[in-house]
Amino acid sequence: MFIKQEFYLWKLTYDLVVSQGFQVLNMSTERGEVWLEKEHEWQTHVIRISHKQVNWKNELKRELEKAYRQLTQNKKLFRGGKVQFHVLYVSEYPPVEEWQSVKEGLSTKKLPIHLYYMDDEQKSNEQKRLYRAFKLEEPLIDHGVEEAEMEALIPYLKHQLVKEQQEQRKKVMSLFDYGKPRMTFFLLAVNILIFLYIEWVGDSTSVDTLIDYGAKFNPAIMEGEWWRIVTSMFLHIGILHLFMNMFALYYLGTAVEKLYGTWRFTLIYVFAGLFGGVASFMLNPHVAAGASGAIFGLFGALLFFGVQHKQLFFRTMGWNLITIVLINILFGLLVPQVDNGAHIGGMAGGFIATAMVRLPKQKNTSKQLVAVLIYVLTICTMAFLGTSGVLNTEEALTKVEETKELNDTEAYEEAIEKTTQALPEAGRYEAPLLFNRSFAYLQTGDIEAARKDLLRVIELSPDTAEAHYNLALIYRQEGEDEKAVEYAEQAKNINPDQEDFGKLYEELLQ
């Protein structure tokens, strides 16, 4: 009867792997033992099937303890969350003693154990219980086959399972090497060349230069210059900003383009950048530039991969990627100058854009059309909210730009007047309005009023380097060198790319 039990084991395993989509974790054709895995209802299920006659309760307990240890030592299986452990014994006879309660000492909330003892009398019932647990249609396993035919079929079943195991491994490896990172390197080159050009013709840290060359500038966008959403993706503010974004683009872009292929990667990058740019327009009133919205979209693409391949995701990049995303979001919330709208919007846009194109060989027209609809409706809603000023105080923003232009044309008295009028309803724009007024006060000789405004700017927005720099100039003029050094150092630390800040600091130290 040994042949009958072995045939049943390999026939059952064959159905679970070939027909039901279980993955082979480990297989020993000599010992008659197989470990399988399947994700079901967002949980990882591991099945151990073995051909073994167990007679006594203590013997069965030792067998379960051994299998339990083997499973818990494989920590990769637990990276995706809760694991359900199914232990199957295929045997001719049942244990002599009662066996159903053996698992109770081992099964825990973290690792529930389901025990199936498939002796000849209970095979049908236990098989039903197993398939019912996974909501699968039960296979027909013909027990009336002659032993000679069973013996002839067993090598074939083993061979097919080994072949299927190899195919599964090849399929997993092919997921991570579908495309070549050609577009990633092209984007790196384009961003670097544009940065070098901007530095050649002007200064990448200058707001005026950035606006001239296509930075996100809300007043201009509201006047119809929507192309700035695209051009701002290729501008960077200083060498450090460029380095950080290109470093992230290199690593994330390479991974995503290998997963999705060049044309999918390109669409994800562009759509994520557009989505992040419009989110920034809706939420962030300041001039902004950079590829970070599109780059965060690559995070979204990897998270989409995690939704599609939960087990594989958590065993490779999963928790590391989630940790990096959370750190970046937290950093953005703590640092005022970071454009959180572009970052979070880009990540959401990247996820939706990936749902639009999906993974290679995973076409699903209905879901793709739904994703397209969600993308279009969301980006149009954000554009409407941005232009209507529901989330941005449009009038105060206009006053910021207006008073800056008055200062540029040396209409300082008018700038002071308009700024003073706008301050009571400035909201989040209080700091830039005060800075504009402080500049006008400096030009009209009212040093004390300028100092008061600048101190308030620093209180509201500690990372405004220009406010620290102007205070350093005021204190140097008044002979208070210690305070001048303090504020000059702050300006230099906040914006090390601005040569004037470092130069003033060095002069004060001499």
Side-chain angles (χ1 to χ4, degrees), residues 361-374:
K361 302 175 184 178
Q362 276 197 358
K363 185 177 179 181
N364 189 317
T365 305
S366 60
K367 289 183 178 180
Q368 288 173 275
L369 289 174
V370 170
V372 170
L373 184 63
I374 292 171

Side-chain angles (χ1 to χ4, degrees), residues 227-362:
W227 49 266
R228 289 180 177 274
I229 300 295
V230 177
T231 55
S232 63
M233 292 165 55
F234 298 94
L235 301 176
H236 289 85
I237 308 168
I239 187 67
L240 181 61
H241 188 209
L242 175 76
F243 174 77
M244 294 298 292
N245 274 354
M246 294 306 98
F247 183 79
L249 175 58
Y250 173 76
Y251 282 102
L252 288 172
T254 300
V256 172
E257 195 167 357
K258 282 184 176 181
L259 275 173
Y260 290 92
T262 297
W263 75 265
R264 287 184 179 85
F265 166 81
T266 304
L267 291 177
I268 292 167
Y269 186 89
V270 171
F271 287 151
L274 294 174
F275 203 92
V278 176
S280 175
F281 168 66
M282 176 180 70
L283 297 170
N284 177 21
H286 304 296
V287 174
S292 54
I295 291 168
F296 264 76
L298 304 182
F299 280 126
L302 293 176
L303 291 173
F304 182 87
F305 174 81
V307 172
Q308 302 298 309
H309 296 279
K310 177 173 171 277
Q311 296 168 343
L312 188 58
F313 175 75
F314 280 105
R315 284 170 208 171
T316 52
M317 67 189 85
W319 288 116
N320 291 334
L321 180 71
I322 291 171
T323 301
I324 291 170
V325 170
L326 291 175
I327 288 172
N328 275 277
I329 292 173
L330 182 62
F331 179 77
L333 294 173
L334 295 175
V335 178
Q337 289 181 327
V338 174
D339 191 347
N340 291 304
H343 289 184
I344 299 173
M347 185 162 60
F351 188 92
I352 300 170
T354 310
M356 289 160 55
V357 300
R358 301 192 68 83
L359 283 155
K361 302 175 184 178
Q362 276 197 358

Side-chain angles (χ1 to χ4, degrees), residues 98-255:
E98 180 272 333
W99 56 269
Q100 284 86 350
S101 62
V102 171
K103 65 173 185 169
E104 291 177 3
L106 293 173
S107 186
T108 64
K109 287 185 179 180
K110 184 179 179 181
L111 182 56
I113 295 179
H114 310 274
L115 180 59
Y116 307 80
Y117 202 96
M118 296 178 163
D119 60 81
D120 282 354
E121 290 184 5
Q122 293 298 321
K123 273 188 175 65
S124 178
N125 290 335
E126 291 292 89
Q127 182 178 297
K128 279 184 172 59
R129 188 161 69 91
L130 173 67
Y131 277 72
R132 196 161 49 240
F134 293 94
K135 299 178 181 177
L136 301 174
E137 187 176 342
E138 194 177 356
L140 175 64
I141 298 179
D142 189 357
H143 299 283
V145 179
E146 296 292 331
E147 282 195 22
E149 189 176 351
M150 289 183 182
E151 191 170 3
L153 284 171
I154 287 171
Y156 169 78
L157 293 172
K158 289 180 179 180
H159 174 75
Q160 290 299 110
L161 285 167
V162 170
K163 184 179 177 182
E164 184 66 23
Q165 183 183 22
Q166 292 171 346
E167 288 298 319
Q168 287 177 354
R169 288 176 180 172
K170 286 180 183 178
K171 186 177 179 181
V172 169
M173 294 304 296
S174 68
L175 284 173
F176 294 97
D177 202 25
Y178 179 78
K180 304 288 184 184
R182 299 185 183 93
M183 182 55 67
T184 299
F185 290 115
F186 176 75
L187 289 169
L188 284 167
V190 169
N191 278 281
I192 292 170
L193 289 172
I194 289 175
F195 177 81
L196 292 174
Y197 175 76
I198 297 295
E199 284 291 327
W200 181 44
V201 298
D203 179 4
S204 65
T205 61
S206 166
V207 173
D208 291 334
T209 302
L210 290 169
I211 291 173
D212 289 342
Y213 284 91
K216 191 220 72 171
F217 182 48
N218 286 14
I221 293 174
M222 285 188 281
E223 291 176 3
E225 296 182 3
W226 289 94
W227 49 266
R228 289 180 177 274
I229 300 295
V230 177
T231 55
S232 63
M233 292 165 55
F234 298 94
L235 301 176
H236 289 85
I237 308 168
I239 187 67
L240 181 61
H241 188 209
L242 175 76
F243 174 77
M244 294 298 292
N245 274 354
M246 294 306 98
F247 183 79
L249 175 58
Y250 173 76
Y251 282 102
L252 288 172
T254 300

